[in-house]
Amino acid sequence: DKLHQRHRVEEVQTGEPIGTARGCGQFRDAQRRRVRHDDRVRAHRGFDGRTFFTLTAHDVTEHVELAERLARSEAWFRTIVESSFDGVVVTRSGEGIVFVSPATERISGFTAEQLIGTRMLEYVHPDDLAEAERLADARALGEVGARETRLRCADGSYRWVEISAVPFRDDQRDAHLITIHDVSRRRALEEQDRAGTFYAAMCGVIAGGTVER
């Protein structure tokens, strides 16, 4: 028996490999846990001309389960992002914008294809650009905050939005998850309120002046 085993070991070490096949599967271990495995089967031809096979099984349970968790997390993330009224943009160092949510397309009027690869600062109103660049530098240092600014839309108009950004690492590079909240309606109402207040005050001044005369 031992001699036979030793002979087989020598054949595995010195026999000529004539083919390889790969497969995968799963089984239950002694604790009834599901174990995933990646198999490699090799065919060899021994010195005596006979063909024999060797099987190598590698436990990939942890790797597969991690991949499944990541896939579920990505699915949850996309579900949340795609159903959100706020725009979501992901930027990555050296690449610019790499992800755009449907709400971002709705707010800006640009398609995802038009935005991918560009930089957020390209869409900032010239009067807001200096402050936006200062905030971008602060975010690069890890600071988190929100700021209202005007972004250029596809039709050339500018829309007031509140932007917040959270830094993170993606594929070993610096990245930012940017949230865009449309505040243009609120801004317009505030402007109307200020205009109405100013008009009422002017009417009061005029009325007061008329009474004095």
Side-chain angles (χ1 to χ4, degrees):
D1 235 6
K2 290 182 179 179
L3 181 61
H4 179 72
Q5 291 175 7
R6 186 167 61 252
H7 177 63
R8 282 300 183 196
V9 170
E10 289 175 355
E11 285 184 334
V12 170
Q13 291 175 345
T14 61
E16 178 188 356
I18 58 176
T20 302
R22 296 193 65 175
C24 60
Q26 62 183 27
F27 61 88
R28 298 282 181 179
D29 64 6
Q31 285 75 43
R32 304 297 298 166
R33 293 175 302 184
R34 187 174 61 175
V35 177
R36 309 288 186 87
H37 56 93
D38 181 25
D39 303 332
R40 184 185 297 271
V41 180
R42 288 187 175 90
H44 301 264
R45 183 175 291 110
F47 293 124
D48 56 5
R50 290 179 299 174
T51 300
F52 62 94
F53 301 89
T54 59
L55 169 66
T56 304
H58 176 57
D59 185 354
V60 294
T61 306
E62 207 172 306
H63 173 75
V64 172
E65 290 180 349
L66 176 60
E68 290 175 346
R69 288 197 297 271
L70 289 174
R72 286 195 298 269
S73 297
E74 182 178 353
W76 294 338
F77 171 76
R78 286 191 175 273
T79 299
I80 293 170
V81 166
E82 291 177 1
S83 62
S84 173
F85 287 105
D86 289 340
V88 175
V89 171
V90 175
T91 64
R92 194 158 50 207
S93 177
E95 296 184 55
I97 296 173
V98 296
F99 173 83
V100 174
S101 72
T104 304
E105 295 179 292
R106 175 181 53 79
I107 292 170
S108 68
F110 289 105
T111 64
E113 289 76 14
Q114 291 172 312
L115 294 172
I116 296 295
T118 64
R119 298 172 64 244
M120 281 293 296
L121 291 176
E122 295 178 27
Y123 305 95
V124 175
H125 192 284
D127 293 343
D128 302 336
L129 189 56
E131 179 66 10
E133 289 176 337
R134 187 191 68 78
L135 290 174
D137 291 339
R139 286 196 296 268
L141 296 175
E143 296 183 21
V144 179
R147 176 75 178 182
E148 291 188 3
T149 190
R150 287 165 288 184
L151 288 184
R152 176 169 53 86
C153 298
D155 61 4
S157 65
Y158 285 87
R159 178 172 295 206
W160 279 103
V161 297
E162 182 185 74
I163 293 182
S164 59
V166 178
F168 68 101
R169 295 284 290 175
D170 180 39
D171 196 20
Q172 303 302 313
R173 281 176 287 183
D174 293 330
H176 286 88
L177 176 66
I178 300 173
T179 304
I180 303 173
H181 178 58
D182 186 358
V183 297
S184 56
R185 180 174 174 78
R186 194 205 74 208
R187 280 275 188 165
L189 292 173
E190 290 174 351
E191 187 62 33
Q192 290 176 11
D193 185 57
R194 282 194 295 270
T197 301
F198 177 77
Y199 178 75
M202 290 301 296
C203 287
V205 170
I206 294 171
T210 303
V211 170
E212 288 178 3
R213 285 200 297 270

